[in-house]
Amino acid sequence: MAAKSNGNNNSLASRYACWPSLQANAELLKGTSITQLFADNPQRVEEFSLEAAGLRLDFSKNLVNTETLQLFSSLSEQAKLPEAIHALSTGEVVNHTEKRPAWHSALRSANTSEEVNQTLLRMEQLVNAVRSGSWRGYSGEAITDVVNIGIGGSDLGPHMVSHALMPYRHTDGSTLSCHYVSNIDPSDLNEVLAQLRPQTTLFIVASKSFTTLETLSNANKARDWLLQHDSDADTGKHFIAVSTAIDKAVAFGVDAENILPMWDWVGGRYSLWSAIGISIAMGIGMNHFRELLAGAHAMDQHFANAPASENMPILLALLGIWYSHFWHAQSYAVLPYDHYLKLLPEFLQQLDMESNGKNVNQNGEAIDYNSGPIVWGAAGTNGQHSFHQLLHQGTRFVPVDFILPLTSHQTSATDQQQHRHLVANCLSQSKALAEGKSLQTVKQELAESGLSDTEIETLTPHKVIAGNRPNNIISFTQVTPRNLGALIALYEHKVYVQSVIWQINAFDQWGVELGKQLSNKVFNRLSGDNSETFDASTQALIDHYTNANSPTK
Ligand code: F6P
């Protein structure tokens, strides 16, 4: 049975010779503050910033010093990161439980394989046909709406990117709208269908396996909806599919020429770069989709070639390891200061937590340390008015990544002023987290406001903000396809680096399967099949459900 992770780090300490020095360095830094680190080193911002693939990472407001960075380089060597990066980038088997490469970087390389190029070309034909209006539905009308039906990696990546790149939607005169349906909850698809006309709607069934309950159920329902409107409708004109299981997509009823392949060497949560991303390309056009690939490729090149000390994904990963193991951080927050990036935290939840939520190492041995953190967050400034209070004064230690595009797609004078407020808030939150508000400042401010000594004493502890909360700022010019591609690839590689340090497999997800198996059994019971027995709690809840849905209610 797997041992419970307790953060003891025993096996990490015995695996990595630099571990005790990292521990000692952390203890030393616990006696200082971020403010003091800046006071000690006027060059800190230059020394603790990196640029790559159009992104700038300012990591100066972290609890690290020059020695920490040297130890990070030692850790990279001791964990054989260069070899691990080479293995990932060249398509070696890195997913050992499923005996597969995780070769998403091949999807965005200029020198990719014939099968990838051919798929991109077919994607382009389909995208151009739909966007230009030459693809016609069963009634002869052009397509106005595309609905991506998929879940997990077949939804979160495409949906997040599609939303992020909305300003590129109509640049070539196309008026196509894109929608995303993922949940088995009937309300999800029903809400979308209520806005649409079957004659002008094209469904993309995106499923690597073409066995996923939610996706197949929604796809079947979408087809029924079409046929309910016109029983003679040619459904082939309204469905495209993307899958590794071409035969299953054909059996569902998608015309063979409209099924795009995917490959088992692409993990679901790393698949937006494949034809699974066709809904993105439908929305923004193929040239912009290729820009997205190019941005990711630029980050791939940086990751494969930059030395550890200047390697942005490695640094981001090791900062995460640092806070997890030596500062007991349980989570990190991602706070994008751009409305178009509001779905980024949700996307990163799957990328990070499905990848590194593991409790055994590559050899199947229980690990005695914490692996993947909890990822959470929301777009600023909204989060400032809800959970930032806990970031500033809560008892938990939560490192933060601020994502800051420097220019807005909104360009009027009023928009520019609002955007300046947005940026000002991002920079202020970063500063406030790092510096806090000292006892002395609080007392002085209260005294200046005319309060009595007793009132000052009472209020002061509530208003002191300790600061010393580390944060990164990842900035870039604007949310463009290229910058977004680089940003996503940055986090993909960060997650991989951490998995290498932790010796875990980032590319399987067996835990998800248990819920799927149980759900089938419970579904059968809810549907009246009494052959299975359940624990008392589940049985009582089944009875509640049955009671609530009984015809006599
Ligand atoms: O939830 C598990 C999972 O396998 C994810 O990893 C994947 O992205 C999702 O289901 C969807 O799978 P598919 O694309 O095969 O429908």
Side-chain angles (χ1 to χ4, degrees):
M1 199 181 96
K4 200 162 180 278
S5 293
N6 56 15
N8 281 341
N9 309 331
N10 293 333
S11 47
L12 292 176
S14 57
R15 177 176 290 276
Y16 302 122
C18 63
W19 208 258
S21 305
L22 280 162
Q23 181 73 58
N25 181 242
E27 295 313 318
L28 186 88
L29 284 161
K30 282 173 190 168
T32 184
S33 67
I34 295 173
T35 311
Q36 190 57 47
L37 291 169
F38 273 96
D40 293 345
N41 180 3
Q43 304 304 317
R44 187 167 171 86
V45 175
E46 291 73 37
E47 286 177 18
F48 292 77
S49 292
L50 277 182
E51 287 187 19
L55 311 186
R56 179 172 186 272
L57 168 65
D58 176 342
F59 60 101
S60 60
K61 294 197 205 79
N62 276 283
L63 288 154
V64 291
N65 60 13
T66 313
E67 194 196 342
T68 325
L69 299 190
Q70 286 159 358
L71 290 166
F72 281 1
S73 290
S74 307
L75 181 57
S76 305
E77 275 170 37
Q78 288 164 21
K80 297 195 169 49
L81 271 184
E83 289 88 333
I85 293 170
H86 184 262
L88 181 80
S89 315
T90 55
E92 284 178 29
V93 171
V94 289
N95 176 355
H96 294 287
T97 59
E98 295 176 302
K99 300 188 177 62
R100 293 171 184 169
W103 210 7
H104 34 283
S105 60
L107 297 167
R108 48 221 193 189
S109 161
N111 302 318
T112 191
S113 65
E114 190 53 23
E115 61 181 351
V116 172
N117 268 328
Q118 286 304 321
T119 306
L120 279 168
L121 287 175
R122 180 66 189 134
M123 238 172 115
E124 185 151 26
Q125 288 168 349
L126 292 173
V127 166
N128 289 346
V130 172
R131 283 178 70 81
S132 67
S134 66
W135 178 297
R136 301 280 159 162
Y138 73 86
S139 68
E141 291 178 69
I143 298 299
T144 58
D145 293 85
V146 168
V147 183
N148 187 75
I149 299 178
I151 197 164
S154 301
D155 167 73
L156 289 162
H159 192 180
M160 182 274 284
V161 172
S162 203
H163 182 84
L165 298 179
M166 259 190 201
Y168 295 84
R169 275 278 168 90
H170 306 306
T171 43
D172 62 357
S174 161
T175 53
L176 203 64
S177 294
C178 295
H179 312 264
Y180 288 83
V181 171
S182 54
N183 206 330
I184 189 76
D185 185 333
S187 307
D188 195 1
L189 182 59
N190 288 349
E191 286 290 334
V192 170
L193 294 183
Q195 308 162 40
L196 306 178
R197 292 179 61 234
Q199 297 86 337
T200 57
T201 299
L202 177 69
F203 295 98
I204 299 168
V205 187
S207 177
K208 179 178 170 181
S209 60
F210 225 84
T211 58
T212 305
L213 169 75
E214 292 87 338
T215 301
L216 293 189
S217 175
N218 279 324
N220 278 317
K221 196 167 144 177
R223 190 180 45 197
D224 291 349
W225 174 75
L226 263 172
L227 293 171
Q228 272 156 20
H229 280 80
D230 186 336
S231 55
D232 292 331
D234 179 354
T235 55
K237 293 190 157 90
H238 294 268
F239 280 90
I240 284 177
V242 186
S243 186
T244 55
I246 308 279
D247 52 332
K248 292 196 172 80
V250 170
F252 170 83
V254 185
D255 292 348
E257 78 254 30
N258 297 330
I259 303 170
L260 293 166
M262 208 215 154
W263 307 278
D264 63 9
W265 46 266
V266 181
R269 51 195 172 274
Y270 301 85
S271 65
L272 70 92
W273 321 100
S274 72
I276 289 284
I278 192 171
S279 62
I280 301 171
M282 288 284 180
I284 61 174
M286 204 60 194
N287 288 345
H288 289 132
F289 185 77
R290 286 185 192 274
E291 281 282 294
L292 180 81
L293 299 183
H297 178 61
M299 185 55 78
D300 294 338
Q301 294 288 96
H302 166 77
F303 182 51
N305 299 315
S309 58
E310 294 162 26
N311 195 307
M312 200 181 280
I314 293 183
L315 190 71
L316 208 57
L318 297 186
L319 284 166
I321 299 271
W322 173 243
Y323 291 124
S324 176
H325 295 285
F326 302 108
W327 304 76
H328 308 295
Q330 295 287 325
S331 76
Y332 74 98
V334 178
L335 311 178
Y337 273 66
D338 194 301
H339 173 74
Y340 288 122
L341 293 179
K342 72 174 190 176
L343 299 180
L344 183 67
E346 261 181 78
F347 166 76
L348 291 179
Q349 281 176 332
Q350 188 201 16
L351 176 64
D352 202 327
M353 294 163 79
E354 195 168 72
S355 296
N356 284 344
K358 309 287 162 64
N359 60 10
V360 294
N361 65 15
Q362 293 272 21
N363 300 325
E365 298 153 353
I367 56 176
D368 71 344
Y369 45 84
N370 281 321
S371 57
I374 297 156
V375 187
W376 59 289
T381 60
N382 291 10
Q384 289 177 215
H385 300 275
S386 63
F387 56 77
H388 281 222
Q389 168 60 32
L390 181 146
L391 295 177
H392 290 291
Q393 284 188 306
T395 53
R396 293 169 198 278
F397 181 81
V398 186
V400 171
D401 285 353
F402 289 99
I403 312 293
L404 179 62
L406 299 168
T407 61
S408 170
H409 283 285
Q410 315 305 325
T411 52
S412 77
T414 324
D415 294 340
Q416 292 294 313
Q417 194 191 22
Q418 279 196 309
H419 188 252
R420 270 198 299 283
H421 276 300
L422 181 71
V423 176
N425 272 277
C426 177
L427 301 185
S428 309
Q429 288 296 309
S430 165
K431 185 174 164 61
L433 285 168
E435 294 176 358
K437 196 170 191 180
S438 71
L439 183 84
Q440 193 188 8
T441 309
V442 171
K443 283 193 167 176
Q444 191 180 331
E445 279 183 9
L446 291 175
E448 282 166 10
S449 72
L451 294 188
S452 69
D453 286 352
T454 318
E455 286 169 321
I456 291 173
E457 283 310 311
T458 309
L459 261 185
T460 297
H462 298 278
K463 300 196 86 170
V464 169
I465 298 168
N468 239 10
R469 309 273 164 133
N471 61 87
N472 295 309
I473 296 201
I474 299 168
S475 62
F476 43 91
T477 49
Q478 196 170 47
V479 184
T480 62
R482 198 171 268 261
N483 289 335
L484 184 62
L487 182 70
I488 299 167
L490 167 66
Y491 277 97
E492 286 178 350
H493 295 322
K494 171 204 164 173
V495 165
Y496 176 63
V497 169
Q498 294 188 331
S499 76
V500 174
I501 304 285
W502 289 323
Q503 296 281 304
I504 58 178
N505 183 353
F507 301 111
D508 58 9
Q509 60 283 317
W510 299 103
V512 177
E513 299 306 319
L514 172 63
K516 287 185 190 172
Q517 287 161 3
L518 286 176
S519 157
N520 285 335
K521 289 182 182 167
V522 177
F523 174 82
N524 290 341
R525 181 69 185 79
L526 294 177
S527 307
D529 171 354
N530 292 340
S531 54
E532 289 284 344
T533 52
F534 295 93
D535 63 279
S537 166
T538 305
Q539 186 56 54
L541 291 162
I542 288 170
D543 293 344
H544 279 307
Y545 168 87
T546 309
N547 195 22
N549 285 280
S550 92
T552 54
K553 273 271 151 188

